[in-house]
Amino acid sequence: MSLSLPHDHGHNDIEEMLSALWKDEDFKILSELFAQLGDATRLRLFWILCHSEECVINISAIMNMSSPALSHHLKLLKSAGLIESRREGKEVYYKAADNEKARLLHHMIEQLAQLSCPDNCLFK
């Protein structure tokens, strides 16, 4: 199928560009990810978890947040695939997920915020 645009501006590569374009569902997933990251608390929490695996009580102290408020943010980050958890006895530990999405976000935060990673970074 050939696409005919209302105005011809001399660009002949519209078909090639459109063939590389993601499906609408892929953009929806990306939009939902960005919506999660539109919150400064979640960005800070994610960055911390890129450098340390911690239990909820310790994260609450680091973030100066109640456990219920923190749990809400952890749930959203986990559902977005950015963090993962493991249980050890009664404690649940969280850290950044070991996937490309989390690595890219980590580097993006560092570049945009001009942050330097401490030596214990999970993504070096």
Side-chain angles (χ1 to χ4, degrees):
M1 177 178 121
S2 179
L3 178 66
S4 177
L5 297 177
H7 295 126
D8 181 3
H9 297 288
H11 303 140
N12 298 326
D13 56 356
I14 192 74
E15 296 285 337
E16 182 180 338
M17 186 268 306
L18 290 176
S19 71
L21 188 64
W22 285 357
K23 298 175 188 145
D24 288 346
E25 182 62 26
D26 295 326
F27 278 105
K28 182 178 181 217
I29 292 168
L30 186 60
S31 174
E32 289 168 359
L33 175 63
F34 283 141
Q36 295 303 320
L37 302 175
D39 183 276
T41 299
R42 282 191 289 278
L43 281 174
R44 182 172 178 243
L45 175 58
F46 174 75
W47 191 85
I48 288 168
L49 294 176
C50 286
H51 302 95
S52 180
E53 179 183 52
E54 292 292 344
C55 67
V56 174
I57 292 173
N58 285 354
I59 300 169
S60 291
I62 292 166
M63 298 286 295
N64 194 27
M65 293 179 73
S66 69
S67 289
L70 176 65
S71 292
H72 169 74
H73 291 290
L74 290 168
K75 179 182 174 186
L76 292 172
L77 289 171
K78 190 171 181 180
S79 71
L82 293 170
I83 64 171
E84 56 193 29
S85 64
R86 68 175 178 86
R87 181 173 290 278
E88 190 173 301
K90 292 184 179 185
E91 295 287 343
V92 178
Y93 292 84
Y94 290 89
K95 68 178 183 175
D98 185 14
N99 61 41
E100 187 65 18
K101 182 172 27 175
R103 274 188 287 283
L104 288 171
L105 177 61
H106 172 256
H107 292 299
M108 186 173 73
I109 292 169
E110 287 188 330
Q111 292 298 312
L112 292 173
Q114 297 180 345
L115 291 170
S116 295
C117 254
D119 290 336
N120 61 344
C121 180
L122 299 176
F123 296 126
K124 283 207 174 183

